[in-house]
Amino acid sequence: MKSPQPPRWATRLLETFCAPHLLEEVQGDLEERFHRRVAQFGERVARRRYTAEVLGFLRRRLNGPFALKRPRNEVSPHFFSNPAMLRNYVKIALRTLAHNKAYAFINVVGLSIGLAAAMLILLFTKDEVSYDRFHANHPNLYRITSKRIAPGGTLEGLEGNTGFFQGPKFTAGIPDIQAFVRFQDYLYDTKRGTEVKSQQVFLTDTSFFSVFSFPLLSGDPKTALRQPKSVVISEGLAQTHFGTTDALGKVIFFKQSYGEGVNGPFEPYAVTGVAKKCPQNSSIKFEALMPLVVKQEEIGNDFGWFNIFLNTFVVLKPTANVGRVEASMNRIYRADAKESMKMMAEKYGMKHREDYMLQPFTAMHLSEDLSANNGLVDGSNPLFSYLLSGIALFILGIACINFVNLTVARSLKRAKEIGIRKVVGGGRTQLTWQFLGESFLLCFAAFAFALLLVEAVLPTFNQLANKALSLSYLFDVKLVVSYVALFLATGLLAGFYPALVLSKYDPVQTLYGRFQLSGKNHLQKTLVVLQFAIASFLIIGTLTIYSQFDYLTHKSLGYDDTHVISIEKPGLNPSLDVLKAELLKAPGIVAVAPKNGGQWGTAAKINGETQVEFTYETIDPTYLPLFKIPIAKGRNFSPDFPTDSTQSVLVNETFVKTAGWKAPLGQVVNFWYNEEKYRVVGVVKDYHYEALNKKIGPQLFTMRPKNGYGKAFIKIKPNTETASLRHLEATFKKLFPFSPYAYKFLDVENRRQYEAEAKWKQIMLFGAVLTIFISCIGLFGLATLSAERRTKEVGIRKVLGASASSIVQLLSSDFLKLVGISFVFAFPAAYFATDQWLQNYPYRIGISPWTFVVAAAAAVLIAFLTVSLQSLRAALTNPVKSLRSE
Amino acid sequence: MRRTYLGEFEEVVLLTVAVLGEGAYGVAITDELERQTGRAVSLSAVHAALHRLEEKGMLKSRLGEATAERGGRRKRLFNVTVLGSRALSDIRAVRERLWDAISPQTLPAFGL
């Protein structure tokens, strides 16, 4: 018969509330009485009385909380209050690290890579987000933008730029707008002695320095831009021109690079201010500022509202309501431009509506639709930031997971220590704190190492990201706080799970050697699969980018760009024949052909009233032969046909297709706004006149005399670069003493088009290598664990005659299976992603199965190498050692 | 006279500890009290009084042997200290002086 027991819940209640040093005697007394009562009165009465007595003890609060009293000098179990325990913890932690140097090192390195990636991204994001916030007028600064609405009401497009009118007219009519400033990108040539160079200059209003916060080293910001023919230069430019920043009052000679002043004399501009270097996180970066002068005829220009070529910024009153200001802007626009709009609708069929809006200044940098352009710099795609943040978070996550895996794996060796600690009285919380503390120690070491890593990698990162970040950024309070938060979060994340798992070990099992790792490691296995899936994905991505890049840079452009030098000379027309004659005197120079400067595009009518847009090229008969561009039908321009320049045009094959012409020769192209009609005399084979990431569009060639040439291409014989360049330079300077001379090799320039792709290539490569490295760490941890777990099994197999290689095979096959599973996830995702990415390129490679095969092989090989180290070690251990403890 | 503040219950418990001599622990004291005073005494009250007395320095305690009846738990045995015995005799002296000072025939007689 079971002996009667006092009610358990009452006992538990007592245990909870009674002071521990009194608990034993109280419980003993209660139980003694209970048993006596059972003998006297029976069990039920005894239980009732027991409960009553327990409650009595709890009720004793009336005389002071008796049972709750604790002796005054009891030692708190928390280790913070006890230096002896702390010393022990530190000693054990250091010893553990010293005994497992390899693992500690790998752990720290893995975690520090993750931390370094996260830190770099924090720096990057901080910089991106902080753009343009340094201006004093900051929350009230806006840019005037507009959207085009088609007659049906659909949005046709967004425009970030304006013309001359918007700034002054809106400011005059709306009291909430305090000031406006226009900012126009322009090119001037400067002359120092005989040297002529191009200089980017910004034309702006006198309000520039009161709207924006760009401090001046010398000069008065209020009057600096008041006089025409004055210029404010940056301290860098002052150094270049005068060797000192004390340039106030000095004179620089400028002339316009294009436009009406292109051949004019150099005129002296007085330096009215020297400005400090623009900060790194500014969309406005200037070397030279000049006052914007709006000519009289511009003010009355009917098209004034519709010419778009500069940026206008306004400062609103702090109390202004943006919506109401926008409404007022549109009211003024419709009133002032009523006549012009009617004229545009009649003459040019311009039926769409313009709605003006205000874009906050700080939103420009990260905006995709209304980006910082036309003189503003560093317009950034937020996609880039999101992607980088994603990658960094991901790497950090994986690093933490690996840390967890490795720590748990190594903990087997400490099972006995944990058992003993528990036996002598350590509580679970105490143990948890101990292991958490060890993790924090490692994390701290990783953090310090990560800082060093960041410092080392920063220059490369800056180059990749087009920034000038430096560690001095770190002294920003918010960033320091975020780094500390990062450290704490990582330490907790990485240390929490192992601490929990380790403190759970049962002392009986560990000390009697019955310790076995429970469970099938589902968590760890899933993590390894995940890591390898991502690693394979990145390998495939990298391989794809590499081949696409290769393709882009090696694909035939449809014309011969080798050994071709290009020079710029606006207003070339009058001097073209002289230039050709002079240049061809050199033996190395084979041909010279002109073209319009920049990229022109326009529209014309064909087939009656159909309007087609096309790229508009102004050339001469030597152009197409110089580049070896074949003519598919008809003929090239030729001096034998003197009417070519006024009556003939050439079109390319895409033009013919777009126009739907079956017989292109003889078709009419109507430039109706100039009232000129031309006939097609030849069809040019399509060639890539733009970078390969743009589709070939319709192209039309003309020799119209009124169009200006702005460039010249010079074809030279191979290996005659030096001589030809020397001759070219001499001729140019003789003919155009007032124009800056700069030459480019066309094939080099064409390579430069793919800078963005080159960057992506590098980033993917880094990402892939890092992920693979970290995945290997993870796999290494798992392999260690498994090898440790199976030492006895391996020992027995060896004793029974298994060879080392069969054991390696046995141990590795598990992991190779995991890697195989990861492919199942990685390949479809990779296929989808690469397909999407390649859609951006009209000319692209196909996705070949070889990429996947190579990626799979690479992943398997890497996994095998990682695992085989441990498997080999397990296979080579002396079975005596592993079986001895049986 | 030393100022000793001892409640009535505490005084009785202290006396009982003295009566029991070596075997003075919670249950024994409670049983003895019940026998002597004839009223039900709660174990918790006795424990509270014992520990208050120990804090005041009137008792000293030690942990004794465990028995199976107590579920293997030890019992706490109490002994009266010098301070405790002084307190007791002081109280006794006061009482006796007061009793002696009562003139005969003052207290109403009650049946034998």
Side-chain angles (χ1 to χ4, degrees):
Chain A
M1 187 183 87
K2 205 173 69 160
S3 65
Q5 288 291 327
R8 199 171 296 164
W9 67 269
T11 319
R12 281 274 166 76
L13 194 60
L14 189 66
E15 276 172 19
T16 316
F17 284 105
C18 187
H21 65 295
L22 301 172
L23 184 61
E24 191 182 353
E25 66 214 51
V26 167
Q27 267 190 325
D29 281 356
L30 285 170
E31 200 161 328
E32 190 180 325
R33 286 197 125 199
F34 173 78
H35 286 296
R36 238 192 310 152
R37 285 203 189 102
V38 164
Q40 269 187 305
F41 304 111
E43 190 177 343
R44 211 186 302 161
V45 174
R47 284 167 77 92
R48 239 206 325 254
R49 299 255 174 99
Y50 181 90
T51 314
E53 280 183 338
V54 167
L55 291 176
F57 272 102
L58 294 181
R59 199 171 55 84
R60 284 290 134 197
R61 257 181 264 240
L62 298 174
N63 299 332
F66 151 72
L68 301 176
K69 253 195 248 184
R70 286 159 196 274
R72 256 155 258 166
N73 53 349
E74 177 182 297
V75 175
S76 141
H78 216 276
F79 71 153
F80 281 136
S81 54
N82 196 337
M85 276 315 281
L86 266 180
R87 265 208 310 267
N88 178 278
Y89 287 154
V90 171
K91 210 190 286 186
I92 298 293
L94 289 179
R95 268 192 208 155
T96 319
L97 289 180
H99 282 164
N100 299 320
K101 284 204 227 10
Y103 286 93
F105 184 69
I106 292 179
N107 241 356
V108 167
V109 165
L111 198 59
S112 61
I113 290 181
L115 278 173
M119 281 198 253
L120 276 176
I121 299 313
L122 272 177
L123 253 155
F124 179 86
T125 320
K126 174 188 174 291
D127 186 70
E128 287 279 282
V129 162
S130 70
Y131 257 72
D132 298 326
R133 280 181 204 271
F134 58 90
H135 295 290
N137 286 324
H138 156 190
N140 305 316
L141 269 176
Y142 292 87
R143 180 166 72 152
I144 297 183
T145 58
S146 58
K147 52 185 180 210
R148 263 202 319 277
I149 315 244
T154 51
L155 179 66
E156 253 184 24
L158 294 164
E159 181 58 63
N161 297 330
T162 62
F164 284 129
F165 285 4
Q166 286 82 348
K169 295 212 179 191
F170 289 152
T171 311
I174 304 177
D176 271 341
I177 299 186
Q178 280 182 327
F180 73 91
V181 67
R182 291 168 291 198
F183 195 67
Q184 185 180 3
D185 184 9
Y186 218 79
L187 203 60
Y188 271 76
D189 297 328
T190 68
K191 179 162 163 190
R192 270 178 72 215
T194 50
E195 200 184 329
V196 176
K197 271 216 304 237
S198 299
Q199 175 66 47
Q200 184 189 41
V201 172
F202 292 99
L203 308 178
T204 183
D205 293 303
T206 46
S207 46
F208 183 82
F209 290 106
S210 56
V211 170
F212 296 120
S213 308
F214 289 111
L216 285 182
L217 286 176
S218 50
D220 180 6
K222 291 209 245 304
T223 59
L225 290 168
R226 222 176 261 174
Q227 300 287 67
K229 301 268 188 303
S230 57
V231 62
V232 173
I233 58 178
S234 69
E235 46 183 343
L237 196 60
Q239 281 285 5
T240 324
H241 269 268
F242 305 113
T244 162
T245 52
D246 180 23
L248 197 60
K250 301 215 177 117
V251 160
I252 306 185
F253 287 91
F254 281 106
K255 84 160 171 64
Q256 287 182 336
S257 301
Y258 49 87
E260 36 168 59
V262 65
N263 291 318
F266 280 88
E267 294 180 351
Y269 282 68
V271 174
T272 48
V274 178
K276 239 170 121 198
K277 184 165 164 179
C278 299
Q280 133 78 12
N281 53 353
S282 167
S283 297
I284 297 182
K285 291 200 180 103
F286 64 86
E287 297 279 327
L289 291 175
M290 286 187 191
L292 178 66
V293 175
V294 182
K295 292 199 281 281
Q296 265 310 103
E297 57 259 27
E298 281 293 340
I299 301 183
N301 189 347
D302 282 332
F303 292 99
W305 278 105
F306 310 107
N307 285 340
I308 310 243
F309 53 92
L310 53 76
N311 282 298
T312 307
F313 304 101
V314 291
V315 181
L316 292 185
K317 286 218 186 84
T319 51
N321 176 314
V322 174
R324 254 189 276 142
V325 173
E326 286 179 349
S328 315
M329 279 165 45
N330 282 311
R331 220 184 335 114
I332 295 179
Y333 165 59
R334 296 201 206 296
D336 195 270
K338 205 153 45 143
E339 293 302 318
S340 313
M341 284 204 281
K342 236 191 281 179
M343 187 237 347
M344 288 292 281
E346 284 167 3
K347 256 190 134 186
Y348 303 107
M350 187 191 93
K351 294 201 192 59
H352 59 255
R353 197 180 84 218
E354 301 259 352
D355 276 352
Y356 281 94
M357 313 179 297
L358 288 174
Q359 179 191 32
F361 191 67
T362 43
M364 279 190 327
H365 174 70
L366 289 173
S367 167
E368 266 188 86
D369 301 319
L370 290 169
S371 64
N373 58 0
N374 202 353
L376 301 175
V377 294
D378 291 346
S380 162
N381 192 347
L383 181 67
F384 214 63
S385 301
Y386 287 145
L387 215 69
L388 280 180
S389 306
I391 292 182
L393 264 176
F394 191 71
I395 293 183
L396 186 63
I398 290 202
C400 285
I401 290 171
N402 283 332
F403 188 84
V404 167
N405 277 352
L406 266 180
T407 312
V408 172
R410 289 317 292 168
S411 74
L412 282 184
K413 295 230 162 143
R414 304 181 66 178
K416 287 225 171 98
E417 174 201 342
I418 298 171
I420 292 190
R421 277 183 190 271
K422 283 199 158 182
V423 163
V424 273
R428 256 199 91 187
T429 355
Q430 229 173 332
L431 278 172
T432 314
W433 274 107
Q434 176 192 0
F435 290 118
L436 206 56
E438 281 186 22
S439 299
F440 262 99
L441 196 70
L442 271 181
C443 191
F444 185 73
F447 192 73
F449 194 60
L451 277 176
L452 287 175
L453 262 182
V454 168
E455 180 71 43
V457 165
L458 210 50
T460 330
F461 186 74
N462 276 341
Q463 188 208 26
L464 262 187
N466 244 347
K467 286 189 185 296
L469 305 168
S470 72
L471 268 184
S472 59
Y473 260 46
L474 285 179
F475 297 133
D476 173 72
V477 172
K478 262 198 261 177
L479 201 63
V480 168
V481 165
S482 56
Y483 274 10
V484 169
L486 180 70
F487 165 63
L488 285 176
T490 315
L492 267 176
L493 254 178
F496 198 65
Y497 180 69
L500 271 182
V501 166
L502 294 185
S503 56
K504 234 198 295 189
Y505 288 172
D506 182 27
V508 171
Q509 291 218 321
T510 60
L511 289 176
Y512 281 114
R514 287 185 226 147
F515 189 63
Q516 304 200 0
L517 263 211
S518 58
K520 283 188 163 221
N521 278 3
H522 279 308
L523 184 67
Q524 284 183 315
K525 287 199 176 156
T526 326
L527 293 174
V528 168
V529 167
L530 187 70
Q531 287 172 358
F532 265 87
I534 308 290
S536 321
F537 178 87
L538 283 179
I539 295 180
I540 294 176
T542 314
L543 285 175
T544 313
I545 291 195
Y546 261 83
S547 21
Q548 171 69 0
F549 189 75
D550 247 10
Y551 176 77
L552 285 180
T553 47
H554 289 125
K555 180 175 190 308
S556 160
L557 292 166
Y559 66 92
D560 184 11
D561 63 350
T562 56
H563 307 115
V564 174
I565 306 175
S566 80
I567 55 170
E568 311 250 329
K569 172 69 188 86
L572 182 56
N573 300 46
S575 340
L576 179 61
D577 297 323
V578 179
L579 180 68
K580 275 201 194 183
E582 284 291 318
L583 282 178
L584 288 171
K585 284 193 192 147
I589 297 186
V590 170
V592 179
K595 190 165 112 76
N596 54 288
Q599 192 90 342
W600 286 6
T602 184
K605 287 201 183 144
I606 54 159
N607 299 342
E609 289 304 306
T610 325
Q611 179 132 301
V612 62
E613 291 182 4
F614 48 83
T615 311
Y616 187 45
E617 315 277 29
T618 311
I619 56 174
D620 86 346
T622 54
Y623 183 83
L624 293 173
L626 186 146
F627 286 111
K628 303 204 178 81
I629 303 175
I631 310 255
K633 284 205 184 97
R635 62 171 179 85
N636 187 9
F637 291 130
S638 151
D640 302 334
F641 293 81
T643 54
D644 264 354
S645 56
T646 48
Q647 289 182 4
S648 316
V649 286
L650 302 173
V651 294
N652 72 347
E653 289 172 327
T654 312
F655 193 107
V656 173
K657 229 185 292 178
T658 319
W661 286 336
K662 296 272 171 38
L665 298 177
Q667 293 273 7
V668 172
V669 180
N670 182 1
F671 288 79
W672 46 275
Y673 39 85
N674 288 335
E675 282 152 15
E676 291 171 358
K677 289 204 177 118
Y678 293 81
R679 282 191 185 277
V680 174
V681 297
V683 177
V684 175
K685 209 155 166 48
D686 280 344
Y687 69 95
H688 292 277
Y689 50 88
E690 279 184 312
L692 275 166
N693 49 9
K694 300 218 174 71
K695 209 162 164 37
I696 297 182
Q699 205 181 12
L700 183 138
F701 301 86
T702 179
M703 291 211 297
R704 186 167 177 264
K706 287 215 201 100
N707 294 348
Y709 294 131
K711 277 204 272 249
F713 295 101
I714 297 116
K715 178 107 186 163
I716 59 174
K717 288 212 191 89
N719 298 326
T720 58
E721 281 90 22
T722 352
S724 309
L725 279 175
R726 219 176 325 131
H727 183 82
L728 173 62
E729 185 172 350
T731 316
F732 188 95
K733 291 207 167 137
K734 186 167 69 162
L735 289 176
F736 312 115
F738 298 132
S739 298
Y741 171 69
Y743 70 89
K744 291 194 206 127
F745 278 92
L746 196 59
D747 41 10
V748 170
E749 274 310 291
N750 284 344
R751 294 285 167 281
R752 286 237 193 101
Q753 303 272 14
Y754 308 113
E755 253 181 21
E757 276 71 24
K759 285 226 172 84
W760 279 111
K761 210 169 66 137
Q762 269 187 299
I763 290 179
M764 286 296 276
L765 189 62
F766 279 153
V769 166
L770 273 182
T771 316
I772 290 174
F773 185 66
I774 294 180
S775 306
C776 283
I777 292 184
L779 193 58
F780 192 61
L782 198 57
T784 313
L785 191 63
S786 153
E788 296 253 351
R789 196 162 27 124
R790 300 169 79 169
T791 38
K792 296 239 169 76
E793 176 193 342
V794 168
I796 292 181
R797 282 181 189 266
K798 284 200 83 166
V799 164
L800 290 178
S803 66
S805 62
S806 72
I807 292 190
V808 170
Q809 213 180 339
L810 173 77
L811 291 178
S812 319
S813 65
D814 275 341
F815 298 107
L816 298 183
K817 252 187 279 176
L818 286 181
V819 176
I821 296 180
S822 74
F823 290 157
V824 170
F825 292 114
F827 284 179
Y831 183 80
F832 180 71
T834 43
D835 194 50
Q836 287 287 8
W837 182 71
L838 283 176
Q839 299 286 5
N840 285 333
Y841 296 93
Y843 305 103
R844 56 181 176 266
I845 52 171
I847 302 182
S848 96
W850 271 118
T851 333
F852 291 87
V853 168
V854 168
V860 166
L861 189 66
I862 293 172
F864 185 71
L865 279 174
T866 316
V867 171
S868 62
L869 189 66
Q870 286 294 29
S871 318
L872 208 59
R873 199 202 292 184
L876 290 178
T877 41
N878 195 342
V880 172
K881 270 203 245 143
S882 45
L883 295 172
R884 192 203 328 238
S885 51
E886 275 302 339
Chain B
M1 168 177 125
R2 285 238 12 245
R3 184 108 169 76
T4 48
Y5 185 62
L6 218 53
E8 186 255 339
F9 188 67
E10 285 177 351
E11 181 195 339
V12 160
V13 164
L14 195 51
L15 283 168
T16 316
V17 170
V19 163
L20 288 174
E22 277 315 305
Y25 73 102
V27 175
I29 297 172
T30 318
D31 290 343
E32 184 67 25
L33 267 177
E34 278 178 348
R35 229 205 346 264
Q36 294 278 2
T37 61
R39 66 181 199 233
V41 177
S42 94
L43 183 62
S44 48
V46 169
H47 269 273
L50 284 171
H51 285 277
R52 266 203 308 278
L53 284 168
E54 183 168 12
E55 265 177 24
K56 290 182 187 173
M58 314 260 171
L59 286 177
K60 62 179 189 291
S61 71
R62 64 181 194 284
L63 281 171
E65 77 276 11
T67 67
E69 201 187 33
R70 293 169 66 86
R73 297 184 184 86
R74 297 169 292 177
K75 56 178 85 157
R76 196 176 275 272
L77 299 159
F78 293 88
N79 292 100
V80 185
T81 60
V82 173
L83 183 62
S85 73
R86 279 211 59 194
L88 282 175
S89 30
D90 281 347
I91 292 172
R92 189 175 187 204
V94 168
R95 298 279 180 281
E96 288 201 340
R97 241 181 292 136
L98 284 171
W99 274 108
D100 288 342
I102 300 179
S103 37
Q105 313 305 328
T106 320
L107 279 176
F110 50 91
L112 257 171

